[in-house]
Amino acid sequence: MHEPIESRKYENGSFEIKDEPFYLPQGDEVELFEAAYENKLPVMLNGPTGCGKTRLVEHMAWKLKRPLYTVACHDDLSANDLTGRYIIKGDEVEWIDGPLLMAVNNGGISYLDEIVEARKDVTVVIHPLTDHRRYLPVEKRGKIFHAPKDFMLVISYNPNYQSVLKELKPSTKQRFVCINLGWPNEELETRIVHQEAGVDEDMAGRLVKSANRIRNLVHQGLEEGVSTRELVYAALLLKSGVSTRNSLYSTVIDPLTHDSDLKKSIEEILKNYFHV
Amino acid sequence: MYGDSLRDDQGRRRVGRLIDEDYENRVLGELFDIISPLIERVGHEGLEKITRLSVEVAQGNWATAVSLMEQSPHLIERVGFEGLESIAGLAGKVARSSWMSAVTLLEKSPHLLDRILLYGDQSMVMDVYALAAQIAPSSWATAIRLVERSPDIIARILPYGDQSLVAHVYSLAAQIATHSPGTAVSLLEKSPHLIDRIGFEGLERVAALGGQIARDSSKTSVSLLEKSPHIIDTLLRHGDQSLVMDVYALAAEISTHCSGIVVSLLEKSPQLIEKVGFEGLKTVAVLGIQVAQDSYTTADSFIKKSPDIIERVGIDGLEKMANLSRQVAMDSCETATCLIERCPGLMDRVGYEGLEQMAIISSQVAQDSYTAAISLIEKSPELIDRLFRCGNQSLVMDVYALGGHLALHSSRIAVHLLEKSPDIIHRVGFEGLKNMAHLAHEVSQDSWSTAVSLIEKSPELIDRVGSEGFKKLAHLALQVSYANSYGAVSLVEKSPELIDSLLRYGDQSLVMEVFGLVNRVAQHNWRTAVSLAEKSPALIERIGYEGLEKVAGLGSRVAEHNWKIAVKLLGMSPEIIDQLNYEGLEIIAEFSRQVAQNDWNTAVTFLEKTPELIDRLLRYGDQSFVRNVYNLAGGVAQYSWEVAFGFLEKSPDFVDWVGFQGLQMIAHHVGKLAETDLENALSFVKCESIDFTRFIDTIPKGLELKNIRPVLSRYLNALLGYGVDLEEAESVSTDGEKIYLPKKVQEFQNEEENFLFYKVISTHQEAHLEYGSFDFDIGEVQDVITRIESRYGKKAWGKMTDLENFYQLFPEPELAEDLMNILEDYRIETRLKKEYPVLGEQIARMNLHMLSKRPSLEGLTNLKQRSVEVIGQTLMTGEIDNTPQDTPDPILKYALSVSESLQDSGSDIHDTARRATDLYFLIDKAFKEPYGPVKPISKPIDQSQINQNIGSFGKTSKNIDEKMRGENQRKNRQPPNNSENISGSSGETNPYDHQPDQDEIQQSDHRSLENHRSFESNHTGGKYGADNKESMQKDFHSTNNSMKFSSVEKIERLLRELFKEKGIKPKEVEQKIELMRPGEIEVYLTYLESLIGKKTELEEEKGTYLYPEWGEDINNYRTNWSRIREQVLEGGPLSFYQGTIEKHSGLLKRIRREFQMLRPEGLIKLKRQYDGDEIDLDAAVEYFIDRKIGLSPSEKNYMLTEKRERDIAVVFLIDMSRSTKGSTIQCEKESLIIMSEALSEVGDAFGIYGFSGDNRDNVDFYRIKGFEEKYNQKVKTRISAIEDGCENRDGTAIRHTVTLLRKRDEKTRMIILLSDGKPVDKEYSGTYAIEDTRMALKEAQRYGIKTFCITVDRTAAEYLPRMYSHSSWVVIDDVVKLPEKITRIYRMLTE
């Protein structure tokens, strides 16, 4: 709070993605995304944690050469946090743009990750942006900001741990083009892990195979399957010389569940592939 | 009158003087009564005489005296005073023996006197009474008889003469009477007959003879007299009276020498005279006398039999006979008597010479035992008859000669031998008999009883084993008899049976060998030998003669220490061999020998417990396992046999707890312990010491399936991609839905290895499922079938599974099956190794472990079997690449090359079948002998179970394809406009029919993509993920439905996906499709496809939810088992509500008041208030900002801490099952109304739900009041409309309620269940239902939801505590009180 927030951080440049983020399409999601962008349609990414939703958005931002404004939503996130607020500076007040407003102003991609986590008033703010109106009303400033054609709203939504309490309202859902992402198929995921972490293909293959087996346990005690991200993490740890056991436990087993029996089952699957 | 009285007085005085004063009082009274008449008759003098007589008599007996006095007047009247005196004399003498008889005699006397006097005078009476008096002292009864008979006797004598004759006769009798009163009486009685026949002289002679004989024996003389009339009659037929006289004279002469034979002689005399004349009779008499010198009885018999003898051998012969009998009688007169009595019969058979022989034998026998001799003689006639059947007289003579010879040594043996001789001769001839005699003689020197039993059993034994065998047996018996003749006897007696049993297992030579063996053992210990003999058939049956020899050796060895143990051991040996083979017996023998060295009693106990112990041990392992246990105990016994014994006794328990490895450790431990501290070791093996518990804890105990079931089953689910249950079973197998695993694994010492074992075997089964071992379709291997049929001919297929049909094509289906299984195991294991690099290594390790359990190749003699085993073992090692390809075994070489082709991941069960066929041909060609199946390496693939449980993917898809094809062809022939009709009509009839029309697909492009994505993402984990992606995609985008399921493969893929994702079995699909018209199939398939990736059909339906259910039987959850259908209960009229309000108005008032007081609870900080305790900083900052930028700031800048909410959410869950009908449901409703009234007062969030239902997919869950709903008219009408429905599945209803409550933010969340007791639904009752309800309540607790159960079932005490153990509960005995109680309970719970 005491440190002054440097406005540099909010400059457009830092939101641009300069290097191509590694992304291997599972299907034709890239084409779909582009089509949506061209048609100024908002996109909802649907898929389990760590399947590459964020990476897809980054990749698309790079590909479409748009700055990316990512907001990880949490349960205290209010509309003001998206649009911006006044702050008191000395005797004066100063308006600070929120990320959504920045995206609107700069014609970038606004990515609201895990939108359901945010407060209800957030949806009210984004609704006008999702249909033909394409503007953002900012109450405090009494202004409406019209989005340029290169503005795009992307939200992500993880149906797996939806609770009844936190479900996206149908009226909200219906405003988006839905792109479903699943786990990449074996071959693809192997390539992803191989390239991301730089481990050999055999290792990557074994990680992916075991992950696929573990994913069979979803709905049988496991809330979510092993994510590609975690596989990459595991591979990274392995590559940097962490013991197999530690690498796997801290990425593929421990984050998934606290149930000791379930852990043991997962461990047994991994033991089929690795000397643990 | 005066005179009279005076006279009486005098009489009295006189009498009184005479009579002892003692008797005065008792007797005089009676006496005086008769005095007067007496005096009147006999005067005072007479009275005096009578009194004197009476007093004499009275010394003997008073009653007699009195009787005498009474009778005296009558007697005097008849025979005067002398007669009276003689009567009194007799009476007095009789009275000494029997006063009753005396009195009777006296009373009868007047009458008797009258009768005698009829014929004679007083003197005759005197004679009679005098004679009687003479007899009386020696025999009073005879005397009385004499008196009583006399009148008759006299009456019959008189016709032959006068009174003097009578007197003579009586005087004769009197003479004899001095010696023999009986004879005298007999004489008197018979005298009339005798006089009648031979006159008085004759009588005199007879009497003389009688008298003479009577001196020796009155009995004989009586019998003489009795018989005389008859004898005389007979004699008279042969001659005149003089002959009679002569004979009697002769008799008299003889009687001087020997009176005993006289009667017999007289009796036989007529016969003898007839035969040999009087002279002859004399000779006989002389002979008789000679014989009688030794024995009267013999002589008597001699005389009696003499007519018979004379008839046969003449008088000379009789003479010889007499000599013979005298000789015999020297040893034994009884024998002689018997011999004479039997001699006629014997003479008839064997002549005199034979008789002589026999006499010699019998006298020899008689020297030992005359009874034996007698019995021999008595049996001889029959025996000789039987001998005659075998040969002529000379044989008989020989036999008897033999017997006689034998009798010199042992008469009994001789007798027995003779008795059995016909049987023996019949079998082995006379020579054999001789040998037998010799043998018997030999044996009898040690034990005659053994010899006897040998002879007794000889016919039976010879029948069985011949005379040689018999000889051996005799030697054996002799051997045994050295030690104990009883043992020998029992052995001999059992032998026939024994031999019979032995002959079942071999010929005579076997029997001989066995006896030889027993003989050898007998040299050490006869009991062991007998025991061995007894068990030999059973042992030979089990282990053959060689085994028996070994057992014999074992028995002898043990017997060296203690024969009791040896006997016991042998007795149990067949049983033990059955259980453990010979090796086991050896071990047990050794152990018992060790124990017996110290304490044979314990050894006996040990042996007695052994069979049971073995039985118990066999439950944990095979024979070699039990032998190992005994070996362990043997090891312990080196330190202490007591500890070893205790160890053995407990071993089954130990094994149960810690397995064999643990047992080994225990054995090792107690061995060491016993060395140092015996006491401690003993209490250790009895599991009594603390050390024991500690030690046991350190032993790995093997791994039980139940401990790892959750881990293992999830692991398998993860591999397979769908749920399989694990179940305990004897052998490892799978039926598609379940994988059967052993209850416990104890293959290794540590738990990890055991777990690994579980993992490997279960993964193997999983792989069978995953890699399609059960998908064999005989139609796929048409190429092979053609080859097989061309080789072995065609075979009809039965109604079996495809695999079984396939095997049946071969001449030896077992060989085909074994090869198939071996190759298929190899195929899937190769796949596993490829898929799981590390698990592959572990599989190899476990296979090596299993390999150690395979039979050794050396032991296999069946060449086909050996080949299969070689292949199986080589493939099991999984190192076919390392096995030299230039193996000399061409079959193995080929097998290896064949199996290599199965390593390809594209190969399937049909390739296995092809390779198996190749191998089969090769093996069948190489070896001609029939195939003996190998011990199965793993459980054979059994399609039938899978087919039954799940169905076949391949077959079903093929069927569907065929059906559709048929339809397509028909369609093609039909005009195109018909297709519309088909789809139209199917839409009406089929509930699943949801034919996606083309417009819809095109319109919702991104939605279709969504569907597609989810479909795809879901099966990337499976095997049909990546490689089929493209085709699937193409299928999906194709708008032509008929193209979509254009091939069997595609349909099969769909079916597999359906099963994996939705648990829809091909079997079910096939059933549905069977009922469908062909045109509908495609629509149905499309529908099925649409299911994949969506929620299940049930979940799709709005308001339905699936819940798991706890299966008490499987000890696990059944996922998605029961379905809740949530619906709003339709309201009814409000009358019930109003009635209740009125009915309980008082109660309501009170409750409302009470609940009002419950209201405040919980603190809450209210932000942005006009007024409050604190400043709301956020608001304040905003206030300043707003002011700065010129907006009107808000005034709500304070925070208020307020107690506002009770923070309670409660659900009332109402059991609406049928059983609540009546007052229960009425009261439930009333309670609900009252509770609702009360709760609306407090403001607690509450919901009311009711449940009922019918089976697991129809649990109706009625919303009566949701949390969000206000307690309003609608709710009131719904409460009024609550009615009893069907069943109650409590667990499911509770689970759904928990789901509802989990969405609530309240601090306190609670379910109040109103029920009438037991949960009941279809297939949901008893323990199962109770356990599920219990689990559901437990789950609620886990989510922090309180549960409270109010039950009105008063009889529920036995199950409620279990069911509600995770909940609070109360039973309300009177349902009417429910409305009042429930509010109290609620207050109590929430306050």
Side-chain angles (χ1 to χ4, degrees), chain B residues 14 125 306 315 545 555 637 696 769 843 915 1037 1099 1299 1363:
Chain B
R14 283 178 186 215
V125 175
S306 57
I315 197 89
Y545 178 71
I696 276 284
L769 290 173
I843 290 173
R915 300 291 87 80
H1037 285 292
E1099 282 170 311
T1299 312
M1363 190 158 76

Side-chain angles (χ1 to χ4, degrees), chain B residues 336-353:
Chain B
T337 311
C338 184
L339 182 70
I340 288 182
E341 265 165 19
R342 299 281 163 172
C343 73
L346 291 170
M347 277 180 189
D348 286 351
R349 289 173 171 83
V350 290
Y352 176 73
E353 288 75 24

Side-chain angles (χ1 to χ4, degrees), chain B residues 146-180:
Chain B
L146 176 71
V147 174
E148 280 176 352
R149 296 266 177 90
S150 282
D152 291 335
I153 294 169
I154 293 165
R156 282 170 53 208
I157 294 171
L158 274 176
Y160 302 104
D162 55 7
Q163 287 187 3
S164 65
L165 180 67
V166 176
H168 277 304
V169 172
Y170 269 84
S171 70
L172 271 177
Q175 279 165 27
I176 293 170
T178 51
H179 301 298
S180 164

Side-chain angles (χ1 to χ4, degrees), chain B residues 752-766:
Chain B
E752 287 79 51
E753 291 283 279
N754 282 330
F755 179 80
L756 193 60
F757 186 81
Y758 260 128
K759 189 176 166 185
V760 166
I761 57 175
S762 55
T763 311
H764 186 96
Q765 292 303 320
E766 183 273 333

Side-chain angles (χ1 to χ4, degrees), chain B residues 107 220 469 472 682 922 1076:
Chain B
E107 278 168 1
T220 315
K472 273 215 173 143
L682 275 176
L922 199 66
M1076 268 178 216

Side-chain angles (χ1 to χ4, degrees), chain A residues 27-28 32 86 91 140 164 180 206 213 216-217 220 262 264-265 268-269 271-275, chain B residues 711 714-715 717-719 721 755 759 770 835-836 838-839 841 1009-1010 1013 1182 1185 1188-1189 1303:
Chain A
D28 41 12
L32 198 62
Y86 282 104
D91 205 19
K140 287 275 165 157
V164 185
N180 266 334
R206 279 189 281 156
R213 300 292 183 179
N216 279 333
L217 286 177
Q220 291 185 39
L262 201 53
K264 185 113 199 324
S265 298
E268 288 309 323
I269 298 162
K271 276 180 175 176
N272 281 357
Y273 296 93
F274 300 96
H275 287 282
Chain B
V711 172
R714 279 218 198 81
Y715 158 78
N717 292 354
L719 296 200
F755 179 80
K759 189 176 166 185
E770 186 174 345
E835 175 70 28
Y836 312 110
V838 178
L839 182 72
E841 295 164 23
L1009 184 67
E1010 172 188 340
R1013 286 271 172 230
E1182 253 175 62
I1185 289 170
K1188 204 82 195 165
I1189 60 173
K1303 292 179 195 162

